[in-house]
């Protein structure tokens, strides 16, 4: 058996394991069944690819999405690994190649869809070849508890028996315990060894911001990521079109993606995003599952995501390569009210509605968190981060949290004294003492709180009211006006029995970082930045020739290292991150030439 660590260096050109990978690989090599929970971008694929190469034999990988299989196979072949995918879209030559490799035992990894694997023909064939390891990706799809149940996963337990797989491994990024137990019960014939890797993604910068002008805020973000790939999640088809158009107006190659486009255009746009270097996708949430692009440099939400789980999954599509990536989530009262009414009108059972309201409130509490956003996020998943992260928007903000008991009391008092039926905008008007028709009609200009907050502008009060709401001190009426009323906790604050921490809102978000040639490579000088661009140009050309995504040729990180290190021989080139033996042989000389020409 080959040593997995030397395969990591020689085939993949990686310097070391990512957290969790080594333990998992060793457990698989010891012959144990394994359930691995690892965040998106954590490097799950390597956990079955390395054992497949170390041990030889055939590893069958179940993956729900054809596009994803295709890209994984292309990436493996670029590393010189014999891999294939069985699917209906294959050309006959491709099927022949796979069939030959199966017969002569040279095929290391075979990707199949769950439907394919359920077929008796496939099962008989695989049973005959002898399957060393059955690896099931996106394993949470087997569980009805999860958010992404797929009936075709239900038959995998039987398929495992039919193909007589010696060993089973299941991988997922979904953490909750109910789903995990369900996966273990349905996919394994003996209790697996379970590995859970923490949920922190330190390379993602987290930021959430009140929505002022969504299009402009998104343009600012994209402007800091010129020449890079990004995703902007939108709340409607129309918004995807508007934002894509605004981005194009600013000179960014941006494409829309939503269920209203015809299938051909949708897959064309997705392909362009995956294959090209600097495409921004303005998409509804339908986009992303199965998009395995490692070099997405930013993910933005032009509207509030549905839940913290959805938020985490969506921002998780940024920075899978481990390099810095930016996220920005915009939210406003409109989003909150919309979600409330969607839940109320959903026709679901009361229990389900209660659960959904709790999830929405947890998300708002994250949006209005007074301190480190990453700590708040991880706490939700039951992970702890001992110290504030230092690089989320709240850690970077100059205005920390403060004792906001007085402010909260003013807000709660205004809500109470106006009869607990008005929305945030009117409450803010009352606090600032604005002479409005409504104030006069309802005599609100006569209550003691009228003008009690004239020291702050209305926009600040709106933000503080949101924080009071997110902290559970007030709740919202179901009616269309979004009237606010006190909760028991809010009443206690008003009576002076509790203190409240609030934070000053920064109305102008400062740029995350000063960007140089690439956000992923802030350390490159402008001279190296130029070389980086030249290397990217060559990469794009080679990728187009081979009809594979650019990152299959080399990852960004590899090009950044090349630009900074400027290797002058093949041997030196082979020491760069991501340059394995096969890639060195195939591409080394061409990249050396570009480096040499740069002087
Ligand atoms: P996941 O399936 O967990 O979302 P992937 O398996 O797609 O993550 O890996 C994400 C990216 O990280 C890929 O581009 C992969 O090549 C890279 N990667 C995985 N393991 C390592 C490692 N040990 N060192 C460097 N890069 C790695
Ligand atoms: Zn932080």
């Amino acid at each position: 058996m080959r040593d997995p660590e030397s395969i990591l260096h020689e085939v993949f050109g990686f310097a070391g394991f990512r957290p969790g990978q080594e333990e998992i690989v060793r457990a698989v090599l010891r012959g144990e069944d394994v359930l691995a929970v690892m965040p998106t971008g954590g490097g799950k694929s390597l956990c079955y690819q390395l054992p497949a190469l170390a041990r030889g034999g055939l590893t069958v990988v179940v993956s729900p999405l054809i596009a994803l299989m295709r890209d994984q196979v292309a990436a493996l072949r670029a590393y010189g690994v014999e891999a294939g995918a069985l699917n209906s879209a294959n050309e006959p030559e491709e099927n022949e190649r796979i069939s030959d490799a199966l017969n002569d035992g040279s095929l290391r990894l075979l990707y199949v869809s769950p439907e394919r694997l359920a077929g008796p023909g496939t099962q008989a064939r695989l049973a005959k070849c002898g399957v060393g390891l059955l690896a099931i990706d996106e394993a949470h799809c087997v569980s009805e508890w999860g958010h992404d149940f797929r009936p075709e996963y239900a038959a995998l337990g039987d398929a495992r028996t039919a193909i007589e797989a010696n060993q089973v491994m299941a991988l997922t990024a979904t953490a909750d315990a109910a789903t995990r137990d369900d996966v273990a019960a349905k996919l394994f014939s003996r209790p697996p060894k379970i590995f859970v890797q923490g949920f922190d993604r330190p390379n993602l910068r987290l930021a959430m911001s009140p929505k002022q002008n969504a299009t402009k805020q998104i343009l600012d973000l994209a402007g800091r990521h010129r020449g890079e790939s990004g995703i902007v999640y939108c709340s409607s088809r129309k918004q995807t079109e508007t934002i894509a158009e605004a981005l194009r107006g600013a000179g960014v190659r941006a494409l829309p993606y939503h269920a209203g486009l015809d299938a051909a255009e949708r897959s064309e746009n997705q392909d362009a995003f995956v294959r090209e270097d600097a495409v921004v996708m303005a998409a509804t949430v339908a986009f992303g599952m199965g998009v395995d692009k490692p070099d997405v440099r930013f993910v933005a939400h032009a509207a509030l995501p549905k839940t913290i789980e959805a938020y985490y999954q969506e921002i998780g599509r940024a920075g899978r390569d481990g390099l810095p990536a930016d996220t920005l989530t915009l939210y406003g009262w409109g989003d909150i009210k919309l979600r409330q009414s969607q839940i109320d009108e959903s026709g679901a059972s009361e229990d389900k509605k209660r659960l959904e309201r709790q999830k929405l409130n947890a998300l708002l509490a994250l949006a209005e968190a007074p301190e480190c956003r990453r700590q708040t996020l991880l706490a939700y998943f039951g992970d702890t981060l001992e110290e504030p992260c230092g690089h989320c928007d709240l850690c970077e903000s100059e205005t920390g949290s403060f004792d906001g008991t007085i402010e909260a009391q003013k807000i709660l008092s205004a809500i109470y004294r106006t009869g607990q039926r008005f929305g945030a905008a009117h409450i803010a008007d009352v606090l600032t003492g604005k002479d409005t028709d409504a104030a006069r009609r309802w005599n609100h200009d006569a209550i003691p709180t009228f003008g009690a907050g004239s020291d702050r502008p209305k926009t600040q009060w709106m933000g503080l009211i949101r924080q009071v709401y997110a902290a559970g001190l007030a709740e919202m009426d179901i009616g269309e006006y979004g009237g606010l009323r006190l909760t028991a906790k809010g009443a206690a604050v008003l009576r002076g029995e509790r203190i409240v921490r609030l934070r000053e809102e920064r109305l102008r978000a400062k740029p995350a970082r000063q960007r140089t040639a690439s956000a992923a490579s802030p350390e490159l000088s402008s001279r190296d930045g130029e070389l980086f661009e030249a290397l990217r140009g060559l990469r794009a050309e080679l990728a187009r020739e081979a009809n594979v995504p650019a990152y299959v040729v080399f990852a960004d990180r590899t090009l950044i290292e090349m630009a900074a290190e400027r290797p002058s021989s093949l041997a030196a080139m082979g020491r760069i991150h991501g340059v394995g033996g096969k890639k060195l042989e195939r591409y080394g000389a061409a990249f050396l030439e570009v480096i040499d020409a740069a002087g």
Side-chain angles (χ1 to χ4, degrees):
M1 187 168 80
R2 287 174 67 192
D3 170 39
E5 197 156 0
S6 59
I7 300 175
L8 187 72
H9 302 315
E10 285 156 24
V11 177
F12 294 94
F14 296 156
F17 286 104
R18 291 231 180 115
Q21 284 178 330
E22 184 166 13
E23 295 83 334
I24 296 173
V25 168
R26 302 233 173 254
V28 174
L29 289 176
R30 276 198 307 274
E32 301 196 55
D33 281 354
V34 167
L35 168 57
V37 182
M38 212 188 239
T40 307
K44 285 187 281 298
S45 330
L46 206 73
C47 297
Y48 53 81
Q49 290 167 351
L50 272 188
L53 299 184
R55 214 162 36 186
L58 176 65
T59 291
V60 170
V61 185
V62 177
S63 163
L65 296 143
I66 292 182
L68 211 140
M69 291 191 222
R70 194 185 58 193
D71 289 346
Q72 288 247 6
V73 168
L76 283 167
R77 285 181 178 167
Y79 285 120
V81 174
E82 194 58 62
L86 279 186
N87 69 56
S88 47
N90 279 359
E91 305 282 330
E93 306 88 81
E94 176 65 15
N95 284 331
E96 222 161 276
R97 168 176 178 172
I98 295 170
S99 189
D100 289 348
L102 262 180
N103 288 339
D104 67 19
S106 61
L107 194 70
R108 290 288 78 84
L109 291 123
L110 180 67
Y111 287 76
V112 288
S113 65
E115 296 88 340
R116 237 326 148 85
L117 190 59
T122 310
Q123 291 181 353
R125 181 86 203 271
L126 291 176
K128 213 169 88 215
C129 298
V131 176
L133 174 66
L134 175 65
I136 299 168
D137 207 0
E138 312 282 359
H140 60 276
C141 293
V142 76
S143 170
E144 288 166 66
W145 297 110
H147 51 86
D148 201 21
F149 172 62
R150 293 177 172 236
E152 45 310 351
Y153 263 64
L156 285 177
D158 297 338
R160 179 203 66 214
T161 317
I163 64 173
E164 297 165 37
N166 288 331
Q167 194 183 0
V168 178
M169 175 177 198
L171 306 106
T172 174
T174 300
D176 75 89
T179 309
R180 200 154 71 211
D181 294 346
D182 208 21
V183 170
K186 292 201 165 113
L187 294 180
F188 295 91
S189 55
R190 50 181 175 165
K193 195 156 168 51
I194 299 179
F195 294 88
V196 181
Q197 189 57 44
F199 276 73
D200 194 14
R201 298 276 312 277
N203 62 317
L204 297 188
R205 179 181 185 274
L206 306 181
M208 296 178 121
S209 179
K211 192 187 295 182
Q212 293 147 47
N213 174 340
T215 306
K216 180 167 180 311
Q217 287 168 291
I218 300 291
L219 282 178
D220 286 349
L221 176 71
R224 299 201 296 273
H225 291 278
R226 291 225 164 252
E228 300 178 340
S229 309
I231 305 173
V232 180
Y233 284 108
C234 302
S235 56
S236 64
R237 296 174 186 186
K238 188 165 176 308
Q239 194 179 33
T240 65
E241 305 276 357
T242 319
I243 287 189
E245 201 173 302
L247 285 166
R248 281 197 297 273
V252 176
R253 177 151 156 70
L255 302 169
Y257 186 99
H258 56 74
L261 298 176
D262 65 63
E265 189 173 0
R266 236 177 19 235
S267 85
E268 210 172 278
N269 287 359
Q270 169 161 339
D271 247 38
F273 176 77
V274 172
R275 277 150 200 275
E276 293 175 31
D277 252 346
V279 176
V280 174
M281 196 68 117
T284 56
V285 289
F287 178 72
M289 172 80 179
V291 175
D292 204 4
K293 189 173 169 63
D295 54 358
V296 175
R297 292 270 71 84
F298 69 93
V299 168
H301 287 99
L304 196 67
K306 252 186 150 161
T307 57
I308 294 190
E309 287 85 353
Y311 166 76
Y312 182 79
Q313 189 175 49
E314 285 150 16
I315 62 168
R317 298 190 174 120
R320 285 181 176 221
D321 53 9
L323 295 173
D326 229 349
T327 75
L328 174 66
T329 298
L330 301 177
Y331 61 95
W333 274 112
D335 296 325
I336 299 170
K337 276 197 277 189
L338 181 67
R339 277 293 296 146
Q340 287 278 15
S341 57
Q342 282 171 346
I343 294 170
D344 294 332
E345 286 155 21
S346 66
S349 69
E350 273 314 309
D351 278 351
K352 180 118 204 271
K353 284 185 183 173
R354 191 168 321 118
L355 184 73
E356 299 216 327
R357 277 190 211 107
Q358 277 168 9
K359 292 200 160 196
L360 174 60
N361 288 338
L363 178 64
L364 296 178
L366 174 64
E368 298 294 358
E371 270 131 25
C372 179
R373 205 175 292 286
R374 192 178 311 271
Q375 281 180 321
T376 313
L377 176 66
L378 293 177
Y380 178 80
F381 288 118
D383 251 7
T384 34
L385 187 66
E386 297 300 333
E387 295 290 321
C389 75
H391 68 118
C392 67
D393 55 344
L394 299 177
C395 283
E396 284 171 359
S397 133
E398 289 127 19
T399 57
S401 67
F402 65 100
D403 180 345
T405 310
I406 305 271
E407 280 76 4
Q409 285 173 337
K410 285 183 182 172
I411 291 168
L412 295 165
S413 162
I415 292 174
Y416 186 72
R417 288 173 187 273
T418 53
Q420 312 206 66
R421 58 201 176 89
F422 291 87
H426 182 69
I427 300 297
D429 281 341
V430 168
L431 285 165
T432 51
K434 191 159 174 228
D435 179 24
T436 61
D437 289 347
R440 259 177 282 140
R441 175 157 10 109
W442 304 101
N443 280 333
H444 290 166
D445 49 0
I447 63 171
T449 345
F450 188 77
S454 55
D455 53 329
R456 290 170 180 273
K458 178 174 175 181
T459 45
Q460 278 188 16
W461 281 113
M462 292 291 282
L464 295 173
I465 296 171
R466 250 192 339 255
Q467 293 184 49
V468 161
Y469 176 72
L473 307 183
E475 58 194 8
M476 202 188 286
D477 195 5
I478 324 267
E480 61 185 299
Y481 298 111
L484 294 168
R485 58 172 178 259
L486 270 55
T487 59
K489 212 165 141 190
V493 170
L494 200 50
R495 290 194 301 267
E497 293 164 10
R498 303 175 71 116
I499 61 154
V500 183
R501 292 208 65 80
L502 296 175
R503 96 187 122 74
E504 294 292 352
E505 214 150 79
R506 273 177 307 118
L507 286 176
R508 289 180 55 78
K510 72 174 177 196
R513 256 175 226 108
Q514 279 311 311
R515 308 284 171 184
T516 49
S518 155
S521 56
E523 71 277 15
L524 287 185
S525 69
S526 66
R527 177 167 166 270
D528 293 346
E530 268 168 42
L531 174 55
F532 175 69
E533 291 305 324
L535 295 169
R536 286 221 300 184
L538 173 60
R539 176 177 71 176
E541 214 173 284
L542 293 170
R544 222 171 7 248
E545 264 168 35
N547 195 25
V548 294
Y551 65 80
V552 165
V553 175
F554 280 131
D556 275 1
R557 171 152 170 217
T558 302
L559 300 192
I560 291 165
E561 270 194 41
M562 279 187 200
E565 304 283 327
R566 301 185 177 236
S568 55
S569 65
L570 281 174
M573 180 68 99
R575 285 192 292 273
I576 299 281
H577 164 92
V579 187
K582 193 74 188 181
K583 289 196 183 181
L584 182 65
E585 190 182 299
R586 190 171 303 168
Y587 304 124
F591 282 86
L592 275 180
E593 212 170 284
V594 172
I595 294 167
D596 193 41

